[in-house]
Amino acid sequence: MALLELKDVSMIYNGKVRALDHINLTVEKGDWLAIMGPSGSGKTTLMNIIGCMDHATEGAITLDGISLMDVDDEKLTTIRREKIGMVFQQFHLVPYLTAVENVMVAQYYHSLPDVEEAMTALKRVGLEDRASHLPSQLSGGEQQRVCIARALINYPVLILADEPMGNLDEANQNLVMKIFHELHDEGHTIITVTHSPEVGREAGRCVVLEHGRIKEPTTPT
Amino acid sequence: MFWQMVKGALVRQSNRFMLIALTVALGVSLASAMLNVMFDVGDKVNRELKAYGANITVTPKNAALLRDVYGLTNSSAREFLNESDLGKIKTIFWTNNIVAFAPTLDGNLILKDGSELPALGTWFEHTMTLPTGETFSTGEIEMKSWWQIEGAYPVEGKSEALIGSKLAIEKNIHVGDVLELNNGDRLTISGVLTSGGDEDQALLTDLAVMQKALNVPGKIASIDISAITTPENDLARKAAANPDMLSQQEREIWYCTAYVSAIAYQIEEVIGNSSARPVRQIAESEGKILDKTQLLMLLITVLSLMSAALGVSNLVSANIMERSRELGLLKAIGATNLGVILLILTEIFIAGCIGGVVGYFAGLGLAQVIGSTVFGAGIANNVVVIPIVSVLMVTVLLVGSVPAIRMLLQLEPASVLHGR
Ligand SMILES: Nc1ncnc2c1ncn2[C@@H]1O[C@H](COP(=O)(O)OP(=O)(O)OP(=O)(O)O)[C@@H](O)[C@H]1O
Ligand SMILES: [Mg+2]
């Protein structure tokens, strides 16, 4: 069975804005899927629905065997906590907590905070020596890597990254790209939103959204 | 981790919580000052009102009867009270409410040249040993705070006297003059008294001098008493008409309440053959003014706490709004509504408590300032204020946080994280 399956999923905001229009999509375990498309095409909306941050208006979604359509907000929070690791479009960190504390917060809400494990996650993104720095003392690239460490900390079955490299310079983009490659090689399932065709090519699969519809499933050559 | 987060927020972003603490401090300081003053003000206001004179007068029973029935003041067969009974006033149930008293003995003094002067013997400042063994200082100086003296009060035992201002002009007597009585005593005028009352027309001297001149050793004509009293109510009025009309239960309540009539009744019980009459108007208005003063303080307390609650609610809402992204993030990575609310409330409560402690001590200072400027005396710090203010503060913080909690519940992580 596929890890993630969307059938005829639509998202209508305020009863009129059709941000997603009958989306059909299947993601297998171990896939790396890139979602592309122009601004306003519904990429973030799709990520929010897959990431259990929002309810779709219609359609059917199953994640790891669980239907996301007929659960309430609280259950959605639980599923998100257990299954999803999210990297947001802007780097979002708690400003008054250090890098390692920011990673531990995710552990705390999931199960139990564990400094050792959090440090290991930071090491993994190359930030073990910046563990006690506040977000304001970190560069954009470093902040984004803390976000990735946080997304990984609870062993999610699905990693979602909404334009993880949108605000980064070339060097940092490469660093982050390398991390995603490693994660993919380790067997993680990853969905990234990106504007860059290069990143799209690196991922195994690529779908292009336009006006809330999937234009064509393309497999880059 | 929870405390790590609370600590991080409070320590690394302390400026955000400074204003909350300050607002709470302000409210708490006003409230604790007002409550402290309120609890202590009964005493203060009463002592202040004592300036209006005695509120109970004790006279011999028959003298009172004659005066009441025939309007007579001078009877040839004059009755007296015993000076030795005075100490018993401080043995009644409400002894602590008896602030001061002074015996008086009036009559005419005959001078060596044969002329007469209306005179009043009393205690100016007298220390006595009570039947209980304690010592008690009292007298006119303590009771008649509005008396104005040009010169000095007579010192007990030194054969000194005050001359009423009107009498002084009439007889052309001055401070330092010596009056010689027909019994050989010599009285030095130590001061001229302006009281605005009958005393302005008389010579005032030691009770003992007067007793000797009138040849009534150990006797007094009346006692003026200043007592702290509870405002009168229907029960007190009923009792004042006739204590025997009360039921057993009513009587007990009345007897054990500091109504002026109950105190007067108890004085009659200890001083034989006496009649104790409340100077009612003063006694009643004292209680009323006290009630009103306390009501005013209560009102200020409530208003200050209400404004603190409004301030806190504004500040907390602003705090939540400023932090909506960060709180949305916490929700996005798995925090429940309850978890986020608990976190915010804990932070606010810690900030509030710090403010509360600071405010409490500031309030103690404020109470002293109020005490010394308004009443000219310190205010006792009542520990009862601490639990009351704590409960009020928690209520203020909770009420103040309600709008913020509602905002938190509506916070959608998906929206805030994408800047919408
Ligand atoms: N909460 C919302 N309420 C109303 N309309 C919304 C909401 N969120 C998104 N939309 C609309 O849905 C459409 C898709 O938005 P979405 O954010 O998914 O685009 P996107 O592909 O992520 O764009 P970008 O590349 O700029 O991030 C847009 O027209 C947007 O205005
Ligand atoms: Mg987007």
Side-chain angles (χ1 to χ4, degrees):
Chain A
M1 195 183 63
L3 180 70
L4 176 73
E5 199 164 354
L6 285 80
K7 274 195 192 136
D8 268 341
V9 171
S10 295
M11 182 64 169
I12 302 162
Y13 284 116
N14 309 327
K16 42 182 194 280
V17 183
R18 196 170 264 273
L20 292 178
D21 195 4
H22 298 286
I23 298 284
N24 287 293
L25 186 67
T26 308
V27 178
E28 297 292 340
K29 205 163 163 42
D31 274 2
W32 182 359
L33 173 69
I35 297 174
M36 298 182 63
S39 184
S41 57
K43 304 182 296 292
T44 298
T45 305
L46 181 60
M47 291 295 261
N48 281 347
I49 288 171
I50 297 171
C52 301
M53 300 264 283
D54 229 338
H55 282 286
T57 318
E58 43 193 60
I61 312 172
T62 39
L63 170 67
D64 208 13
I66 306 165
S67 166
L68 299 187
M69 291 311 286
D70 33 46
V71 295
D72 59 11
D73 280 350
E74 210 167 311
K75 187 81 197 353
L76 215 54
T77 302
T78 318
I79 300 171
R80 178 169 71 238
R81 202 156 64 191
E82 300 299 327
K83 311 260 177 214
I84 307 286
M86 260 196 151
V87 180
F88 305 99
Q89 192 162 359
Q90 284 109 10
F91 347 107
H92 283 297
L93 293 170
V94 181
Y96 50 80
L97 295 181
T98 60
V100 69
E101 284 170 340
N102 262 289
V103 176
M104 284 161 70
V105 168
Q107 286 179 309
Y108 169 68
Y109 285 120
H110 178 264
S111 48
L112 271 181
D114 179 344
V115 192
E116 308 259 306
E117 217 174 338
M119 284 306 292
T120 313
L122 280 182
K123 198 179 225 157
R124 151 116 236 210
V125 296
L127 282 177
E128 69 269 34
D129 52 340
R130 314 302 299 270
S132 58
H133 287 220
L134 292 174
S136 57
Q137 299 163 328
L138 297 173
S139 75
E142 288 163 339
Q143 289 184 46
Q144 191 62 298
R145 276 142 68 195
V146 175
C147 291
I148 295 171
R150 183 179 62 199
L152 296 178
I153 193 69
N154 294 318
Y155 307 102
V157 295
L158 181 59
I159 297 168
L160 301 178
D162 195 348
E163 290 189 45
M165 283 152 291
N167 297 311
L168 300 182
D169 64 10
E170 181 109 17
N172 273 300
Q173 283 190 9
N174 290 339
L175 243 165
V176 170
M177 205 55 217
K178 192 169 143 263
I179 296 171
F180 277 107
H181 261 298
E182 285 169 13
L183 289 172
H184 183 228
D185 291 346
E186 284 165 23
H188 281 99
T189 314
I190 306 169
I191 302 178
T192 52
V193 168
T194 181
H195 276 299
S196 126
E198 245 173 89
V199 179
R201 225 172 292 126
E202 301 257 359
R205 270 177 74 197
C206 186
V207 293
V208 178
L209 280 182
E210 217 173 81
H211 300 303
R213 293 202 197 105
I214 291 181
K215 207 166 139 197
E216 70 211 57
T218 43
T219 319
T221 44
Chain B
M1 193 66 221
F2 181 80
W3 293 111
Q4 224 165 327
M5 290 164 76
V6 170
K7 195 180 128 206
L10 287 175
V11 174
R12 296 188 185 130
Q13 307 207 318
S14 53
N15 52 336
R16 278 197 173 145
F17 295 93
M18 208 76 129
L19 271 177
I20 294 179
L22 203 70
T23 309
V24 173
L26 216 64
V28 165
S29 69
L30 266 177
S32 63
M34 283 303 143
L35 287 174
N36 262 320
V37 172
M38 199 176 101
F39 285 131
D40 204 38
V41 81
D43 237 30
K44 293 281 174 307
V45 168
N46 262 310
R47 274 169 211 281
E48 197 66 8
L49 286 170
K50 202 181 62 206
Y52 300 112
N55 49 8
I56 297 173
T57 310
V58 189
T59 50
K61 196 167 208 159
N62 292 335
L65 200 70
L66 283 173
R67 190 183 59 221
D68 285 359
V69 178
Y70 303 107
L72 295 179
T73 47
N74 252 337
S75 163
S76 48
R78 204 172 166 194
E79 292 210 21
F80 294 101
L81 298 169
N82 289 319
E83 186 185 348
S84 55
D85 283 345
L86 280 171
K88 293 181 184 168
I89 294 171
K90 288 293 284 179
T91 63
I92 65 165
F93 183 79
W94 285 109
T95 174
N96 286 331
N97 286 37
I98 306 285
V99 182
F101 57 82
T104 58
L105 179 62
D106 54 313
N108 286 334
L109 284 181
I110 303 166
L111 300 184
K112 191 140 200 178
D113 61 10
S115 62
E116 292 190 3
L117 276 184
L120 195 71
T122 187
W123 289 345
F124 293 100
E125 190 170 21
H126 181 84
T127 302
M128 65 188 301
T129 306
L130 301 177
T132 55
E134 294 163 89
T135 56
F136 181 64
S137 282
T138 187
E140 299 283 13
I141 299 179
E142 196 179 344
M143 286 182 58
K144 310 284 171 66
S145 55
W146 72 96
W147 278 10
Q148 288 178 351
I149 308 293
E150 187 192 311
Y153 272 106
V155 176
E156 200 170 58
K158 279 201 162 176
S159 290
E160 290 178 332
L162 284 182
I163 181 88
S165 54
K166 286 180 182 157
L167 189 64
I169 292 167
E170 194 186 317
K171 304 275 181 186
N172 197 23
I173 299 174
H174 305 281
V175 174
D177 288 0
V178 176
L179 302 178
E180 204 166 330
L181 305 186
N182 69 346
N183 66 0
D185 278 355
R186 295 162 64 91
L187 294 179
T188 309
I189 303 298
S190 67
V192 177
L193 163 69
T194 309
S195 74
D198 292 343
E199 297 90 352
D200 287 356
Q201 321 255 17
L203 185 79
L204 278 77
T205 186
D206 281 353
L207 179 65
V209 171
M210 202 64 190
Q211 285 169 337
K212 187 178 165 204
L214 298 184
N215 196 22
V216 283
K219 299 292 181 189
I220 54 177
S222 70
I223 313 166
D224 288 342
I225 298 174
S226 194
I228 296 172
T229 62
T230 307
E232 300 274 274
N233 60 6
D234 286 342
L235 174 65
R237 276 184 280 276
K238 192 171 163 191
N242 186 355
D244 298 332
M245 296 278 286
L246 299 177
S247 71
Q248 182 65 28
Q249 198 189 1
E250 281 177 329
R251 196 189 150 82
E252 248 162 55
I253 295 173
W254 170 71
Y255 195 87
C256 296
T257 310
Y259 298 124
V260 67
S261 55
I263 294 178
Y265 182 86
Q266 291 166 11
I267 290 169
E268 283 181 5
E269 283 182 330
V270 294
I271 298 188
N273 201 29
S274 70
S275 166
R277 294 296 163 92
V279 183
R280 190 170 312 276
Q281 224 160 6
I282 291 172
E284 257 184 32
S285 61
E286 276 184 32
K288 273 190 196 139
I289 289 176
L290 183 56
D291 276 357
K292 282 184 184 156
T293 316
Q294 288 184 326
L295 190 68
L296 188 69
M297 307 240 164
L298 205 64
L299 216 65
I300 295 175
T301 308
V302 170
L303 286 180
S304 65
L305 286 171
M306 267 168 58
S307 48
L310 269 178
V312 167
S313 108
N314 262 328
L315 290 169
V316 174
S317 301
N319 187 303
I320 302 290
M321 245 160 5
E322 260 179 66
R323 296 166 67 185
S324 59
R325 271 171 168 248
E326 158 205 331
L327 298 172
L329 171 68
L330 292 183
K331 278 193 179 187
I333 59 179
T336 54
N337 277 327
L338 189 70
V340 178
I341 288 170
L342 219 62
L343 184 73
I344 294 292
L345 280 186
T346 308
E347 291 170 7
I348 289 164
F349 263 77
I350 291 176
C353 285
I354 293 171
V357 171
V358 171
Y360 174 74
F361 286 104
L364 293 189
L366 192 60
Q368 295 313 321
V369 171
I370 293 173
S372 64
T373 53
V374 180
F375 302 108
I379 299 281
N381 296 332
N382 201 322
V383 282
V384 178
V385 171
I386 297 176
I388 296 180
V389 167
S390 309
V391 169
L392 290 176
M393 187 190 78
V394 170
T395 315
V396 163
L397 286 175
L398 277 180
V399 170
S401 304
V402 168
I405 290 174
R406 291 181 45 173
M407 277 167 60
L408 271 179
L409 289 176
Q410 285 161 8
L411 199 69
E412 295 267 359
S415 325
V416 288
L417 288 184
H418 297 99
R420 276 189 275 262

